[in-house]
Amino acid sequence: MSITPPADPPPSYPSPSGVPPAYPAPAPAVAATSWGPAGPAPGLIYASFWTRFLGYLIDIVLLTAVELPVSVPLLFAPALQFLHDHPVKSGQALPPFPTDLSNRFLVLGLLGALVSALYFGGLVAWQGRTLGQRAMGTHVVRAEDGGQLPPGRAYLRAIVFWGPGLVGAIPAAGNIAGLVAFVAMLSAAWDQRRQGWHDKLGRSLVIKRVNAPPGYG
């Protein structure tokens, strides 16, 4: 008499609070919805492109609110004053900025890259999501088992956010990096699992829990 070995248990995915225990009870299967296609486990969907876009928009607003009080007086106001004092006639190239102002562009670009790395990489490694993703009810998880993304993969995934700022001092490299980052995030719109290139790089998924069992989370 042959004995059929038991099937491997399904991977566990995190609850809305960010804790990744297994389901306390079987969750109902979820079909594709307006929030995204059916996900990797019962009760989960892949976050849609627009859900992710809105979360990213919230993140950008929050980061801008933090950075503007520093960048305006130290960089943008002096740059505008310099251009006002050195008007450019039609057909002429912009005058080169003085060395101290150019250095400010470099320093603030590097600081911006650091802030982006800590926000988009550090928060995902620590909490499993950014503040914008929390507002949209989504999580970043390991693609293979739904666990929390380790720091190395979280920061690697976040390269689309901090990479362009890191090489922004080199005009051609900065433009190319920005274009690659844009396409990487846009690629989540047509991927079957709504993975952008950066998600594939970090071997991660962005998921959203729906129709969870009563009392779950």
Side-chain angles (χ1 to χ4, degrees), residues 162-217:
W162 57 263
L166 193 62
V167 298
I170 308 173
N175 292 337
I176 293 173
L179 178 60
V180 171
F182 175 75
V183 176
M185 291 186 285
L186 188 63
S187 64
W190 59 76
D191 185 82
Q192 185 176 5
R193 298 198 296 174
R194 298 299 183 265
Q195 281 182 301
W197 292 351
H198 56 305
D199 297 312
K200 295 179 185 295
L201 186 64
R203 305 196 307 282
S204 63
L205 297 171
V206 181
I207 54 97
K208 182 179 179 70
R209 185 176 298 279
V210 292
N211 295 337
Y216 183 74

Side-chain angles (χ1 to χ4, degrees), residues 7 25 27 33 48 71 77 122 127-128 134 143 152 170 178 202 207-208 217:
T33 71
S48 72
S71 59
Q127 295 289 318
R134 178 180 292 274
I170 308 173
I207 54 97
K208 182 179 179 70

Side-chain angles (χ1 to χ4, degrees), residues 43-67:
L44 298 178
I45 58 173
Y46 298 117
S48 72
F49 172 79
W50 290 110
T51 299
R52 298 183 60 170
F53 174 79
L54 290 175
Y56 177 62
L57 193 60
I58 293 172
D59 290 329
I60 291 300
V61 170
L62 293 174
L63 286 177
T64 300
V66 172
E67 294 173 356

Side-chain angles (χ1 to χ4, degrees), residues 43-133:
L44 298 178
I45 58 173
Y46 298 117
S48 72
F49 172 79
W50 290 110
T51 299
R52 298 183 60 170
F53 174 79
L54 290 175
Y56 177 62
L57 193 60
I58 293 172
D59 290 329
I60 291 300
V61 170
L62 293 174
L63 286 177
T64 300
V66 172
E67 294 173 356
L68 278 182
V70 176
S71 59
V72 167
L74 292 181
L75 183 60
F76 294 117
L80 290 175
Q81 184 62 49
F82 175 81
L83 293 176
H84 179 269
D85 296 338
H86 301 80
V88 180
K89 296 181 180 180
S90 178
Q92 290 183 341
L94 289 173
F97 285 117
T99 303
D100 63 327
L101 196 53
S102 298
N103 290 338
R104 291 186 192 182
F105 274 103
L106 176 60
V107 171
L108 289 180
L110 294 176
L111 287 177
L114 176 61
V115 170
S116 295
L118 292 175
Y119 184 85
F120 291 103
L123 267 184
V124 166
W126 177 39
Q127 295 289 318
R129 52 186 176 177
T130 64
L131 297 179
Q133 289 171 328

Side-chain angles (χ1 to χ4, degrees), residues 143-167:
E144 63 271 22
D145 60 7
Q148 189 157 324
L149 208 62
R153 284 163 61 174
Y155 284 106
L156 183 62
R157 175 186 178 274
I159 194 172
V160 296
F161 305 108
W162 57 263
L166 193 62
V167 298

